Amino acid sequence: MKANSTDWRNKIMPAVFTWFKESESGALEIDFDATQKYAADILKVQGKGGTRMGGLVGSGTLGENSYLSSEQRLSLLKAFSVVAKEYNVPLVSGAAAETKEGIAQIVKELATVGVDTVMVMPPATKEAPSDEEMYAYYEFSAIAAKEAGVTIMPYNNPDAAGYHAISTDILLRLAALPEVTALKISTIDVSIIETLMLENKDLEILAGVDTVTIHAGLAGACGGITGVGSIFPKASVTMQEHVNKGEWAEANKISQAMNSISYLDAQPLLMEYLKFAFGIHHNDEAGGLRTLGVKLTQEQIDDVRARYILAKERLELLDLVD
């Protein structure tokens, strides 16, 4: 599969977790076998309409990207590349840097381990860049992507990035770059998606928050990247199938069934919450709590467990639990 041929329309992709095990010294290290197995298990699942996940997102926010060393990230993505090739889907990963030179270097490094598309976060600087500085940062990543034979996906997350949010004007300019195959918009304010689509109806926009999958589809998003879909892939794929067909009532039934757990995808500790829910789902609560991130309190653990159980019970009634 050539990266520049990627079409994101009507696709939902799982943002998968990085699984850890304890080394002999007691430190956490990546469990590559378990991580690959869980990723493959998700890609095997079909929705009720017969479709599967349209890509694999590794070492993103839910994959503890910001906590891993460069060497760990590259090794992890090399392992994911094997799985992505087996299931003939593009491999996507995230990247962020302080400078345009830094992001260009990361894009090139990711290309060497099989990444097809790089989700590029805004610059990780203390002060907000100007629009021209923001554009130059992404332009550098696009030049590097062209040289490396991959594509990029500007990743706008205004709810988390604050003043580093990418303006709609810059997003529209970036979308015109040949190396940009889609925009990822992670926000509960889907009016951003609608604003972009009104300016350019041919844009490919992927939604990045599970709570608004349907609303994002109504606003014009062509697909999405899901965290909850790593836990309940049959439900997420089936919901996207209904969204693709404009079957909003059917899609809404599934969205409502997943509400309790989708809520976690819009929280600051989304990675820790959803990873633990994934651990519950696979009868490995201890594994779900092994993280380089924040250690959950007992109150948080109990809340995630209750939300997972409620979603599972609702989805079982719809025959949407794998």
Side-chain angles (χ1 to χ4, degrees):
M1 175 182 294
K2 291 184 178 180
N4 60 12
S5 68
T6 302
D7 183 354
W8 303 110
R9 296 184 189 279
N10 301 326
K11 292 180 180 178
I12 188 83
M13 296 179 286
V16 296
F17 306 99
T18 302
W19 223 244
F20 295 102
K21 60 184 178 181
E22 292 186 13
S23 66
E24 292 183 2
S25 66
L28 293 182
E29 60 183 30
I30 298 174
D31 187 335
F32 291 100
D33 290 340
T35 301
Q36 285 180 308
K37 177 186 180 301
Y38 284 139
D41 286 346
I42 295 166
L43 295 180
K44 290 176 185 175
V45 175
Q46 290 184 332
K48 285 191 173 182
T51 62
R52 291 187 170 93
M53 294 288 185
L56 178 63
V57 182
S59 190
T61 300
L62 293 184
E64 311 200 31
N65 185 301
S66 61
Y67 297 103
L68 299 175
S69 68
S70 177
E71 182 180 353
Q72 286 175 315
R73 275 194 295 273
L74 294 176
S75 296
L76 176 63
L77 289 164
K78 189 173 182 179
F80 277 135
S81 178
V82 174
V83 179
K85 284 182 171 62
E86 180 181 353
Y87 289 89
N88 194 31
V89 296
L91 176 61
V92 181
S93 184
E98 291 187 12
T99 66
K100 58 187 180 181
E101 293 84 5
I103 196 65
Q105 180 61 33
I106 293 173
V107 169
K108 291 178 181 178
E109 289 175 350
L110 294 180
T112 67
V113 291
V115 172
D116 298 296
T117 296
V118 182
M119 295 186 302
V120 181
M121 286 286 287
T125 52
K126 292 181 180 179
E127 296 184 3
S130 67
D131 274 2
E132 287 311 308
E133 289 170 333
M134 181 75 82
Y135 183 83
Y137 172 86
Y138 279 96
E139 187 178 37
F140 253 62
S141 69
I143 293 170
K146 182 178 181 180
E147 293 174 352
V150 298
T151 61
I152 62 169
M153 183 187 299
Y155 181 3
N156 195 30
N157 192 335
D159 298 320
Y163 58 71
H164 287 84
I166 312 169
S167 70
T168 53
D169 288 342
I170 294 299
L171 284 169
L172 288 167
R173 287 177 62 189
L174 293 176
L177 294 172
E179 295 75 30
V180 173
T181 53
L183 304 174
K184 181 184 177 185
I185 308 295
S186 291
T187 174
I188 58 175
D189 180 7
V190 298
S191 67
I192 295 174
I193 297 174
E194 194 159 34
T195 297
L196 291 166
M197 295 302 298
L198 287 171
E199 290 290 333
N200 184 350
K201 63 181 178 58
D202 295 322
L203 287 178
E204 292 190 28
I205 296 177
L206 298 178
V209 182
D210 282 302
T211 54
V212 296
T213 297
I214 296 175
H215 297 91
L218 283 164
C222 68
I225 294 175
T226 173
V228 174
S230 287
I231 305 168
F232 297 116
K234 184 177 180 180
S236 288
V237 172
T238 302
M239 181 167 64
Q240 187 64 45
E241 289 173 339
H242 289 307
V243 169
N244 295 342
K245 296 176 183 177
E247 297 170 350
W248 306 112
E250 293 303 311
N252 197 48
K253 288 180 184 177
I254 302 172
S255 179
Q256 289 178 324
M258 291 195 293
N259 268 346
S260 64
I261 195 168
S262 294
Y263 164 85
L264 300 176
D265 190 52
Q267 304 307 307
L269 296 183
L270 73 162
M271 182 272 288
E272 291 88 345
Y273 289 157
L274 291 177
K275 187 176 185 181
F276 178 57
F278 184 86
I280 299 172
H281 190 65
H282 288 278
N283 299 311
D284 185 12
E285 291 192 12
L289 290 171
R290 290 194 191 107
T291 174
L292 301 177
V294 176
K295 304 300 181 184
L296 298 181
T297 66
Q298 190 59 51
E299 183 179 2
Q300 290 169 328
I301 288 171
D302 292 342
D303 180 56
V304 171
R305 182 181 289 108
R307 289 178 178 279
Y308 164 80
I309 291 172
L310 181 58
K312 183 182 179 185
E313 289 174 346
R314 290 170 171 171
L315 291 172
E316 284 177 335
L317 294 175
L318 299 175
D319 187 29
L320 287 173
V321 176
D322 317 307

